[in-house]
Coordinates of all heavy atoms in Angstrom, one line a residue:
M840 N -2.6 8.2 -2.1 CA -1.3 8.6 -2.0 C -1.2 9.7 -1.0 O -2.0 10.7 -1.1 CB -0.7 9.0 -3.3 CG -0.8 7.9 -4.4 SD -0.1 6.3 -4.0 CE 1.6 6.7 -4.1
R841 N -0.2 9.7 -0.1 CA 0.1 10.8 0.8 C 1.5 10.7 1.2 O 2.2 9.7 1.1 CB -0.9 10.8 2.0 CG -0.7 9.6 2.9 CD -1.7 9.7 4.0 NE -1.7 8.5 4.9 CZ -2.5 8.2 5.8 NH1 -3.6 9.1 6.0 NH2 -2.5 7.1 6.5
P842 N 2.1 11.8 1.7 CA 3.5 11.8 2.1 C 3.7 10.8 3.2 O 2.9 10.7 4.1 CB 3.7 13.3 2.5 CG 2.6 14.1 1.9 CD 1.4 13.1 1.8
Y843 N 4.9 10.2 3.1 CA 5.3 9.3 4.2 C 6.7 9.6 4.6 O 6.9 9.8 5.8 CB 5.2 7.8 3.7 CG 5.7 6.8 4.7 CD1 4.8 6.5 5.8 CD2 6.9 6.2 4.6 CE1 5.2 5.6 6.7 CE2 7.3 5.3 5.6 CZ 6.5 5.0 6.6 OH 6.8 4.1 7.6
N844 N 7.6 9.8 3.7 CA 9.0 10.2 4.0 C 9.4 11.1 2.9 O 9.9 10.6 1.9 CB 9.9 8.9 4.1 CG 11.3 9.3 4.4 OD1 11.8 10.4 4.1 ND2 12.1 8.3 4.9
I845 N 9.3 12.4 3.1 CA 9.6 13.4 2.1 C 11.0 13.3 1.6 O 11.3 13.3 0.5 CB 9.2 14.8 2.6 CG1 7.7 14.9 2.9 CG2 9.5 15.9 1.5 CD1 6.8 14.6 1.8
Q846 N 11.9 13.3 2.6 CA 13.4 13.3 2.3 C 13.7 12.0 1.4 O 14.6 12.1 0.6 CB 14.2 13.3 3.5 CG 14.1 14.6 4.3 CD 12.9 14.6 5.2 OE1 12.2 13.6 5.4 NE2 12.6 15.8 5.7
G847 N 13.1 10.9 1.7 CA 13.4 9.7 1.0 C 12.5 9.5 -0.3 O 12.6 8.5 -0.9
K848 N 11.7 10.5 -0.6 CA 10.9 10.5 -1.8 C 10.0 9.3 -1.7 O 9.8 8.6 -2.7 CB 11.7 10.6 -3.1 CG 12.4 11.9 -3.3 CD 13.1 11.9 -4.6 CE 12.8 13.1 -5.4 NZ 13.4 13.1 -6.7
T849 N 9.4 9.0 -0.6 CA 8.5 7.9 -0.4 C 7.1 8.4 -0.1 O 6.9 9.2 0.8 CB 9.0 7.0 0.8 OG1 10.3 6.5 0.5 CG2 8.1 5.8 1.0
L850 N 6.1 7.8 -0.8 CA 4.7 8.1 -0.6 C 4.1 6.9 0.0 O 4.5 5.8 -0.2 CB 4.0 8.5 -1.9 CG 4.4 9.8 -2.6 CD1 3.7 9.9 -3.9 CD2 4.2 11.0 -1.7
E851 N 3.0 7.2 0.8 CA 2.2 6.1 1.4 C 1.1 5.8 0.4 O 0.3 6.6 0.0 CB 1.6 6.4 2.7 CG 0.9 5.3 3.4 CD 0.5 5.5 4.8 OE1 0.8 6.6 5.3 OE2 -0.2 4.7 5.4
F852 N 0.9 4.5 0.1 CA -0.1 4.0 -0.9 C -1.2 3.3 -0.1 O -0.9 2.6 0.9 CB 0.6 3.0 -1.8 CG -0.4 2.2 -2.6 CD1 -0.9 2.7 -3.8 CD2 -0.8 0.9 -2.2 CE1 -1.8 2.0 -4.6 CE2 -1.7 0.2 -3.0 CZ -2.2 0.7 -4.1
G853 N -2.4 3.6 -0.4 CA -3.6 3.0 0.2 C -4.7 2.9 -0.7 O -4.9 3.7 -1.6
I854 N -5.6 1.9 -0.5 CA -6.8 1.8 -1.3 C -7.9 1.3 -0.4 O -7.7 0.5 0.5 CB -6.6 0.8 -2.5 CG1 -7.8 0.8 -3.3 CG2 -6.2 -0.6 -2.0 CD1 -7.5 0.2 -4.7
H855 N -9.1 1.8 -0.6 CA -10.3 1.4 0.2 C -11.4 1.2 -0.8 O -11.7 2.1 -1.6 CB -10.6 2.5 1.2 CG -9.6 2.8 2.2 ND1 -9.4 2.1 3.4 CD2 -8.6 3.7 2.2 CE1 -8.4 2.6 4.0 NE2 -7.8 3.5 3.3
L856 N -12.0 0.1 -0.7 CA -13.2 -0.2 -1.6 C -14.3 -0.7 -0.7 O -14.1 -1.4 0.3 CB -12.8 -1.4 -2.5 CG -11.8 -1.2 -3.6 CD1 -11.6 -2.4 -4.4 CD2 -12.3 -0.1 -4.6
K857 N -15.5 -0.3 -1.1 CA -16.7 -0.8 -0.5 C -16.8 -2.3 -0.7 O -16.4 -2.8 -1.8 CB -18.0 -0.1 -1.0 CG -18.1 1.3 -0.6 CD -19.4 1.9 -1.0 CE -19.5 3.3 -0.4 NZ -20.9 3.7 -0.4
R858 N -17.3 -3.1 0.2 CA -17.4 -4.5 0.1 C -18.1 -5.0 -1.2 O -17.7 -6.0 -1.7 CB -18.2 -5.0 1.3 CG -18.2 -6.5 1.4 CD -19.0 -7.1 2.6 NE -18.4 -6.6 3.9 CZ -17.5 -7.2 4.6 NH1 -17.1 -8.4 4.2 NH2 -17.0 -6.7 5.7
T859 N -19.0 -4.2 -1.7 CA -19.7 -4.6 -3.0 C -18.7 -4.8 -4.1 O -19.0 -5.6 -5.0 CB -20.7 -3.4 -3.4 OG1 -21.5 -3.2 -2.3 CG2 -21.4 -3.8 -4.6
Y860 N -17.6 -4.1 -4.1 CA -16.6 -4.2 -5.2 C -15.4 -5.2 -4.9 O -14.6 -5.3 -5.7 CB -16.1 -2.8 -5.5 CG -17.2 -1.9 -5.8 CD1 -17.7 -0.9 -4.9 CD2 -17.9 -1.9 -7.0 CE1 -18.7 -0.1 -5.2 CE2 -18.9 -1.1 -7.4 CZ -19.3 -0.2 -6.5 OH -20.4 0.7 -6.8
W861 N -15.4 -5.8 -3.8 CA -14.4 -6.8 -3.5 C -14.4 -8.0 -4.4 O -15.5 -8.4 -4.8 CB -14.5 -7.3 -2.0 CG -14.2 -6.3 -1.0 CD1 -14.0 -4.9 -1.1 CD2 -14.3 -6.5 0.4 NE1 -13.8 -4.3 0.1 CE2 -14.0 -5.3 1.1 CE3 -14.5 -7.6 1.2 CZ2 -14.0 -5.1 2.5 CZ3 -14.4 -7.5 2.6 CH2 -14.2 -6.3 3.2
G862 N -13.2 -8.5 -4.7 CA -13.2 -9.7 -5.5 C -13.4 -9.6 -7.0 O -13.6 -10.6 -7.7
K863 N -13.4 -8.4 -7.5 CA -13.7 -8.1 -8.9 C -12.5 -7.7 -9.7 O -12.6 -7.3 -10.9 CB -14.8 -7.1 -9.0 CG -16.1 -7.6 -8.4 CD -17.2 -6.6 -8.5 CE -18.4 -7.2 -7.7 NZ -19.7 -6.9 -8.3
G864 N -11.3 -7.6 -9.0 CA -10.1 -7.2 -9.7 C -9.9 -5.7 -9.8 O -8.9 -5.2 -10.4
I865 N -10.9 -4.9 -9.3 CA -10.8 -3.5 -9.4 C -9.7 -2.9 -8.6 O -8.9 -2.0 -9.1 CB -12.1 -2.8 -8.9 CG1 -13.3 -3.3 -9.8 CG2 -12.0 -1.3 -8.8 CD1 -14.7 -2.9 -9.3
A866 N -9.4 -3.5 -7.4 CA -8.3 -3.0 -6.6 C -7.0 -3.1 -7.2 O -6.1 -2.2 -7.2 CB -8.3 -3.6 -5.2
Q867 N -6.8 -4.3 -7.8 CA -5.5 -4.5 -8.5 C -5.3 -3.6 -9.7 O -4.2 -3.0 -9.9 CB -5.3 -6.0 -8.9 CG -4.0 -6.3 -9.4 CD -3.7 -7.8 -9.6 OE1 -4.6 -8.6 -9.2 NE2 -2.6 -8.1 -10.2
E868 N -6.3 -3.5 -10.5 CA -6.2 -2.7 -11.7 C -6.0 -1.2 -11.3 O -5.1 -0.5 -11.9 CB -7.5 -2.8 -12.6 CG -7.4 -2.1 -13.9 CD -8.6 -2.3 -14.7 OE1 -9.3 -3.3 -14.5 OE2 -8.8 -1.5 -15.7
A869 N -6.8 -0.7 -10.4 CA -6.6 0.7 -10.0 C -5.3 0.9 -9.3 O -4.6 2.0 -9.6 CB -7.8 1.1 -9.1
S870 N -4.9 0.0 -8.5 CA -3.6 0.1 -7.8 C -2.4 0.2 -8.8 O -1.5 1.0 -8.6 CB -3.4 -1.0 -6.8 OG -4.4 -1.0 -5.8
Q871 N -2.5 -0.7 -9.8 CA -1.4 -0.7 -10.7 C -1.3 0.6 -11.5 O -0.2 1.1 -11.7 CB -1.5 -1.9 -11.7 CG -0.2 -2.1 -12.5 CD 1.0 -2.4 -11.6 OE1 1.0 -3.4 -10.9 NE2 2.0 -1.6 -11.7
A872 N -2.4 1.2 -11.8 CA -2.4 2.5 -12.5 C -1.8 3.6 -11.6 O -1.0 4.4 -12.1 CB -3.8 2.9 -12.9
V873 N -2.2 3.6 -10.3 CA -1.6 4.6 -9.4 C -0.1 4.4 -9.2 O 0.6 5.3 -9.2 CB -2.4 4.5 -8.0 CG1 -1.7 5.3 -7.0 CG2 -3.8 5.0 -8.2
I874 N 0.3 3.1 -9.1 CA 1.7 2.8 -8.9 C 2.5 3.3 -10.2 O 3.5 4.0 -10.0 CB 1.9 1.3 -8.7 CG1 1.4 0.9 -7.3 CG2 3.4 0.9 -8.9 CD1 1.3 -0.6 -7.1
D875 N 2.0 3.0 -11.3 CA 2.7 3.4 -12.6 C 2.8 4.9 -12.6 O 3.9 5.5 -12.9 CB 2.0 2.9 -13.8 CG 2.0 1.3 -13.9 OD1 2.9 0.7 -13.2 OD2 1.2 0.8 -14.7
Y876 N 1.7 5.6 -12.3 CA 1.7 7.1 -12.3 C 2.7 7.6 -11.3 O 3.4 8.6 -11.6 CB 0.3 7.6 -12.1 CG 0.2 9.1 -12.1 CD1 -0.1 9.7 -13.3 CD2 0.3 9.8 -10.9 CE1 -0.1 11.1 -13.3 CE2 0.3 11.2 -11.0 CZ 0.0 11.9 -12.2 OH 0.0 13.2 -12.3
S877 N 2.7 7.1 -10.2 CA 3.6 7.6 -9.1 C 5.1 7.5 -9.5 O 5.8 8.4 -9.3 CB 3.4 6.7 -7.8 OG 2.1 6.9 -7.4
F878 N 5.5 6.4 -10.1 CA 6.9 6.2 -10.4 C 7.2 7.0 -11.7 O 8.3 7.5 -11.8 CB 7.3 4.7 -10.6 CG 7.4 4.0 -9.3 CD1 6.7 2.8 -9.1 CD2 8.2 4.5 -8.3 CE1 6.8 2.2 -7.9 CE2 8.3 3.8 -7.1 CZ 7.6 2.7 -6.9
T879 N 6.3 7.1 -12.6 CA 6.5 7.8 -13.9 C 6.4 9.3 -13.8 O 7.3 10.1 -14.2 CB 5.6 7.3 -15.0 OG1 5.8 5.9 -15.1 CG2 5.9 8.0 -16.3
N880 N 5.3 9.8 -13.2 CA 5.0 11.2 -13.1 C 5.4 12.0 -11.9 O 5.7 13.1 -11.9 CB 3.5 11.4 -13.4 CG 3.1 10.9 -14.8 OD1 3.0 9.7 -14.9 ND2 2.9 11.8 -15.7
L881 N 5.4 11.3 -10.8 CA 5.7 11.9 -9.5 C 7.2 11.7 -9.1 O 7.6 12.4 -8.1 CB 4.8 11.4 -8.4 CG 3.3 11.6 -8.6 CD1 2.5 11.0 -7.4 CD2 3.0 13.1 -8.8
E882 N 7.9 10.8 -9.8 CA 9.3 10.6 -9.6 C 9.6 10.2 -8.1 O 10.6 10.7 -7.6 CB 10.1 11.8 -10.1 CG 9.9 12.1 -11.5 CD 10.7 13.2 -12.0 OE1 11.6 13.8 -11.3 OE2 10.5 13.6 -13.2
V883 N 8.8 9.4 -7.5 CA 9.1 8.9 -6.2 C 10.1 7.8 -6.3 O 10.2 7.2 -7.3 CB 7.8 8.5 -5.4 CG1 6.8 9.6 -5.3 CG2 7.1 7.3 -6.1
S884 N 10.8 7.6 -5.2 CA 11.8 6.5 -5.2 C 11.1 5.2 -4.6 O 11.6 4.1 -5.0 CB 13.0 6.8 -4.3 OG 12.6 7.1 -3.0
S885 N 10.1 5.3 -3.8 CA 9.4 4.1 -3.3 C 8.0 4.4 -2.8 O 7.7 5.6 -2.6 CB 10.3 3.5 -2.2 OG 10.4 4.4 -1.1
L886 N 7.3 3.4 -2.6 CA 5.9 3.5 -2.0 C 5.9 2.6 -0.8 O 6.4 1.5 -0.8 CB 4.9 3.0 -3.0 CG 4.8 3.8 -4.3 CD1 3.8 3.1 -5.3 CD2 4.4 5.2 -4.1
F887 N 5.2 3.1 0.2 CA 5.1 2.4 1.5 C 3.6 2.0 1.6 O 2.7 2.8 1.2 CB 5.5 3.3 2.7 CG 5.0 2.8 4.0 CD1 5.7 1.8 4.7 CD2 3.8 3.2 4.5 CE1 5.3 1.3 5.9 CE2 3.3 2.7 5.8 CZ 4.1 1.8 6.4
A888 N 3.3 0.8 2.1 CA 1.9 0.4 2.4 C 1.9 -0.4 3.6 O 2.8 -1.2 3.9 CB 1.3 -0.3 1.2
G889 N 0.8 -0.3 4.4 CA 0.5 -1.2 5.5 C -0.9 -1.6 5.5 O -1.7 -1.1 4.8
H890 N -1.2 -2.6 6.3 CA -2.6 -3.1 6.4 C -2.9 -3.7 7.8 O -2.0 -4.1 8.5 CB -2.9 -4.1 5.3 CG -2.2 -5.4 5.5 ND1 -2.6 -6.4 6.3 CD2 -1.0 -5.9 4.9 CE1 -1.7 -7.4 6.2 NE2 -0.8 -7.1 5.3
N891 N -4.1 -3.7 8.1 CA -4.5 -4.3 9.4 C -4.1 -5.8 9.4 O -4.3 -6.5 8.4 CB -6.1 -4.2 9.5 CG -6.6 -4.6 10.9 OD1 -6.4 -5.8 11.3 ND2 -7.2 -3.7 11.6
P892 N -3.5 -6.2 10.5 CA -3.0 -7.6 10.4 C -4.1 -8.7 10.2 O -3.8 -9.8 9.9 CB -2.4 -7.8 11.8 CG -2.9 -6.7 12.6 CD -3.3 -5.6 11.7
K893 N -5.4 -8.3 10.4 CA -6.5 -9.3 10.2 C -6.9 -9.3 8.7 O -7.7 -10.2 8.4 CB -7.6 -8.9 11.1 CG -7.3 -9.0 12.6 CD -8.5 -8.5 13.4 CE -8.1 -8.4 14.9 NZ -9.1 -7.8 15.7
N894 N -6.4 -8.4 7.9 CA -6.9 -8.3 6.5 C -5.9 -9.0 5.6 O -5.0 -8.4 5.0 CB -7.0 -6.8 6.1 CG -7.7 -6.6 4.8 OD1 -7.7 -7.5 4.0 ND2 -8.3 -5.5 4.6
R895 N -6.2 -10.3 5.4 CA -5.3 -11.1 4.6 C -5.4 -10.8 3.1 O -4.5 -11.0 2.4 CB -5.6 -12.6 4.9 CG -5.2 -13.0 6.2 CD -5.4 -14.5 6.4 NE -5.0 -14.9 7.8 CZ -5.5 -15.9 8.4 NH1 -6.3 -16.7 7.8 NH2 -5.1 -16.2 9.7
D896 N -6.6 -10.3 2.7 CA -6.7 -10.0 1.3 C -5.9 -8.8 0.9 O -5.3 -8.8 -0.2 CB -8.2 -9.7 1.0 CG -9.1 -10.9 1.0 OD1 -8.5 -12.0 0.8 OD2 -10.3 -10.8 1.2
S897 N -5.7 -7.8 1.8 CA -4.8 -6.7 1.5 C -3.4 -7.2 1.4 O -2.6 -6.7 0.5 CB -4.9 -5.7 2.6 OG -6.1 -5.0 2.5
A898 N -3.0 -8.2 2.2 CA -1.6 -8.7 2.1 C -1.4 -9.4 0.8 O -0.4 -9.2 0.1 CB -1.4 -9.7 3.3
K899 N -2.4 -10.1 0.3 CA -2.3 -10.8 -1.0 C -2.2 -9.8 -2.1 O -1.4 -10.0 -3.0 CB -3.6 -11.7 -1.2 CG -3.6 -12.9 -0.4 CD -4.9 -13.7 -0.7 CE -5.1 -14.8 0.3 NZ -6.4 -15.5 0.1
L900 N -3.0 -8.7 -2.0 CA -3.0 -7.7 -3.1 C -1.6 -7.0 -3.1 O -1.0 -6.9 -4.2 CB -4.0 -6.6 -2.8 CG -4.0 -5.4 -3.8 CD1 -4.2 -5.9 -5.2 CD2 -5.0 -4.4 -3.4
L901 N -1.1 -6.6 -2.0 CA 0.2 -6.0 -1.9 C 1.3 -6.9 -2.5 O 2.2 -6.4 -3.3 CB 0.6 -5.5 -0.5 CG -0.3 -4.4 0.0 CD1 0.0 -4.2 1.5 CD2 -0.1 -3.1 -0.8
N902 N 1.3 -8.2 -2.2 CA 2.2 -9.1 -2.8 C 2.1 -9.2 -4.3 O 3.1 -9.2 -5.0 CB 2.1 -10.5 -2.1 CG 2.7 -10.5 -0.7 OD1 3.9 -10.1 -0.5 ND2 2.0 -10.9 0.3
K903 N 0.9 -9.3 -4.8 CA 0.6 -9.4 -6.2 C 1.2 -8.1 -6.9 O 1.6 -8.2 -8.0 CB -0.9 -9.5 -6.5 CG -1.5 -10.8 -6.3 CD -2.9 -10.8 -6.7 CE -3.6 -12.1 -6.4 NZ -5.1 -12.0 -6.7
L904 N 1.1 -7.0 -6.2 CA 1.6 -5.7 -6.8 C 3.1 -5.6 -6.8 O 3.6 -4.7 -7.3 CB 0.9 -4.6 -6.1 CG -0.6 -4.4 -6.4 CD1 -1.2 -3.4 -5.4 CD2 -0.9 -4.1 -7.8
G905 N 3.8 -6.5 -6.0 CA 5.2 -6.5 -6.0 C 5.8 -5.8 -4.7 O 7.0 -5.7 -4.6
F906 N 4.9 -5.4 -3.8 CA 5.4 -4.9 -2.5 C 6.1 -6.0 -1.7 O 5.7 -7.2 -1.8 CB 4.2 -4.3 -1.7 CG 3.7 -3.0 -2.1 CD1 2.9 -2.9 -3.2 CD2 4.1 -1.8 -1.4 CE1 2.4 -1.6 -3.6 CE2 3.6 -0.6 -1.8 CZ 2.8 -0.5 -2.9
K907 N 7.1 -5.6 -1.0 CA 7.9 -6.6 -0.2 C 7.7 -6.2 1.3 O 7.9 -5.0 1.7 CB 9.4 -6.5 -0.5 CG 9.7 -6.8 -2.0 CD 9.4 -8.2 -2.4 CE 9.8 -8.4 -3.8 NZ 8.9 -9.2 -4.6
Y908 N 7.4 -7.2 2.1 CA 7.2 -7.0 3.6 C 8.6 -6.5 4.1 O 9.6 -7.1 3.8 CB 6.8 -8.3 4.3 CG 6.8 -8.2 5.8 CD1 5.8 -7.6 6.5 CD2 8.0 -8.7 6.5 CE1 5.9 -7.5 7.8 CE2 8.0 -8.5 7.8 CZ 7.0 -8.0 8.5 OH 7.1 -7.8 9.9
T909 N 8.5 -5.5 5.0 CA 9.8 -5.0 5.6 C 9.7 -5.0 7.1 O 10.8 -5.2 7.7 CB 10.0 -3.5 5.1 OG1 8.9 -2.7 5.4 CG2 10.3 -3.5 3.7
H910 N 8.6 -4.8 7.7 CA 8.5 -4.7 9.2 C 7.0 -4.5 9.6 O 6.2 -4.3 8.8 CB 9.3 -3.5 9.7 CG 8.8 -2.2 9.2 ND1 9.0 -1.7 8.0 CD2 8.1 -1.2 9.9 CE1 8.4 -0.5 7.9 NE2 7.9 -0.2 9.1
D911 N 6.8 -4.6 10.9 CA 5.6 -4.3 11.5 C 5.7 -2.9 12.1 O 6.7 -2.5 12.6 CB 5.2 -5.2 12.6 CG 4.7 -6.6 12.1 OD1 4.4 -6.7 10.9 OD2 4.7 -7.5 12.9
E912 N 4.6 -2.1 11.9 CA 4.7 -0.7 12.4 C 3.4 -0.4 13.2 O 2.3 -0.7 12.7 CB 4.8 0.2 11.1 CG 5.0 1.7 11.5 CD 5.4 2.5 10.2 OE1 6.3 2.1 9.5 OE2 4.7 3.5 10.0
F913 N 3.6 0.3 14.3 CA 2.4 0.6 15.1 C 1.6 1.7 14.4 O 2.1 2.7 13.9 CB 2.9 1.2 16.5 CG 1.7 1.5 17.4 CD1 1.0 0.5 18.0 CD2 1.4 2.8 17.6 CE1 -0.1 0.8 18.8 CE2 0.3 3.2 18.4 CZ -0.4 2.1 19.0
Y914 N 0.3 1.4 14.4 CA -0.7 2.3 13.8 C -1.7 2.8 14.8 O -2.5 2.0 15.3 CB -1.4 1.6 12.6 CG -2.3 2.5 11.8 CD1 -1.9 3.6 11.1 CD2 -3.7 2.2 11.7 CE1 -2.7 4.3 10.3 CE2 -4.5 2.9 10.9 CZ -4.0 4.0 10.2 OH -4.9 4.8 9.5
K915 N -1.5 4.0 15.3 CA -2.3 4.5 16.4 C -3.8 4.3 16.3 O -4.4 4.0 17.3 CB -1.9 6.0 16.6 CG -2.4 6.5 17.9 CD -1.9 7.9 18.2 CE -2.4 8.5 19.5 NZ -1.8 9.8 19.8
P916 N -4.4 4.6 15.1 CA -5.9 4.5 15.1 C -6.4 3.1 15.5 O -7.5 3.0 16.0 CB -6.3 4.8 13.7 CG -5.2 5.8 13.2 CD -3.9 5.2 13.9
T917 N -5.7 2.0 15.2 CA -6.2 0.7 15.5 C -5.5 0.2 16.8 O -6.0 -0.8 17.4 CB -5.9 -0.3 14.4 OG1 -4.4 -0.4 14.2 CG2 -6.5 0.1 13.1
G918 N -4.4 0.8 17.2 CA -3.6 0.3 18.4 C -2.9 -1.0 18.1 O -2.5 -1.7 19.0
L919 N -2.7 -1.3 16.8 CA -2.1 -2.6 16.4 C -0.8 -2.4 15.7 O -0.6 -1.3 15.1 CB -3.1 -3.4 15.5 CG -4.4 -3.8 16.1 CD1 -5.3 -4.4 15.0 CD2 -4.2 -4.7 17.3
Q920 N 0.0 -3.4 15.6 CA 1.2 -3.4 14.8 C 0.7 -3.9 13.4 O 0.2 -5.0 13.3 CB 2.2 -4.4 15.4 CG 2.8 -4.0 16.7 CD 3.8 -2.8 16.5 OE1 4.4 -2.6 15.5 NE2 3.9 -2.0 17.6
H921 N 0.9 -3.1 12.4 CA 0.4 -3.4 11.1 C 1.6 -3.9 10.2 O 2.7 -3.3 10.2 CB -0.2 -2.2 10.4 CG -1.5 -1.8 10.9 ND1 -2.5 -1.3 10.1 CD2 -2.1 -2.0 12.1 CE1 -3.6 -1.1 10.7 NE2 -3.4 -1.5 12.0
P922 N 1.4 -5.0 9.5 CA 2.5 -5.4 8.6 C 2.7 -4.3 7.6 O 1.7 -3.7 7.1 CB 1.9 -6.7 7.9 CG 0.9 -7.2 8.9 CD 0.3 -5.9 9.5
S923 N 4.0 -4.0 7.3 CA 4.3 -2.9 6.4 C 5.2 -3.4 5.3 O 6.0 -4.3 5.4 CB 5.0 -1.8 7.2 OG 4.1 -1.4 8.3
Y924 N 5.0 -2.7 4.1 CA 5.7 -3.1 2.9 C 6.2 -1.9 2.1 O 5.8 -0.8 2.3 CB 4.6 -3.8 2.0 CG 3.9 -4.9 2.6 CD1 2.9 -4.7 3.5 CD2 4.2 -6.2 2.2 CE1 2.2 -5.8 4.1 CE2 3.5 -7.3 2.8 CZ 2.5 -7.1 3.7 OH 1.8 -8.2 4.2
V925 N 7.2 -2.2 1.3 CA 7.8 -1.2 0.4 C 7.9 -1.7 -1.0 O 8.1 -2.9 -1.3 CB 9.2 -0.8 0.9 CG1 9.9 0.1 -0.1 CG2 9.1 -0.1 2.3
L926 N 7.6 -0.8 -2.0 CA 7.8 -1.1 -3.4 C 8.7 -0.1 -4.0 O 8.5 1.1 -3.8 CB 6.4 -1.1 -4.1 CG 6.4 -1.3 -5.6 CD1 6.9 -2.7 -6.0 CD2 5.1 -1.0 -6.2
T927 N 9.7 -0.5 -4.6 CA 10.6 0.5 -5.3 C 10.4 0.4 -6.8 O 9.8 -0.6 -7.3 CB 12.1 0.1 -5.0 OG1 12.4 -1.2 -5.5 CG2 12.4 0.2 -3.5
K928 N 10.9 1.4 -7.5 CA 10.7 1.5 -8.9 C 11.3 0.2 -9.6 O 10.8 -0.3 -10.6 CB 11.3 2.7 -9.5 CG 11.0 3.0 -10.9 CD 11.5 4.4 -11.4 CE 11.1 4.6 -12.8 NZ 11.4 6.0 -13.2
E929 N 12.4 -0.2 -9.1 CA 13.1 -1.4 -9.7 C 12.3 -2.7 -9.3 O 12.6 -3.7 -9.9 CB 14.5 -1.5 -9.2 CG 15.4 -0.3 -9.6 CD 15.1 0.9 -8.7 OE1 14.8 0.8 -7.5 OE2 15.2 2.0 -9.3
G930 N 11.4 -2.6 -8.4 CA 10.6 -3.8 -8.0 C 11.2 -4.5 -6.8 O 11.3 -5.1 -6.0

């Protein structure tokens, strides 16, 4: 979690796992705990997330977690337009 839009009370959500841990459900379980904590304890209004357009597994995870695609956003480190998503407390 890191600030994304302070005025809008939006944090940026991200998760990184070593390949060894892929496909074991760890990302979904850990992500749900962070999401629940963010809305309950940090009182954010929404969470933003993006992923490399080549990473289809990240897209699947974000969709499972309830994130909704909103737009593509340029991400300078990769030089690519990354699919971007938002999750609100209401879902």
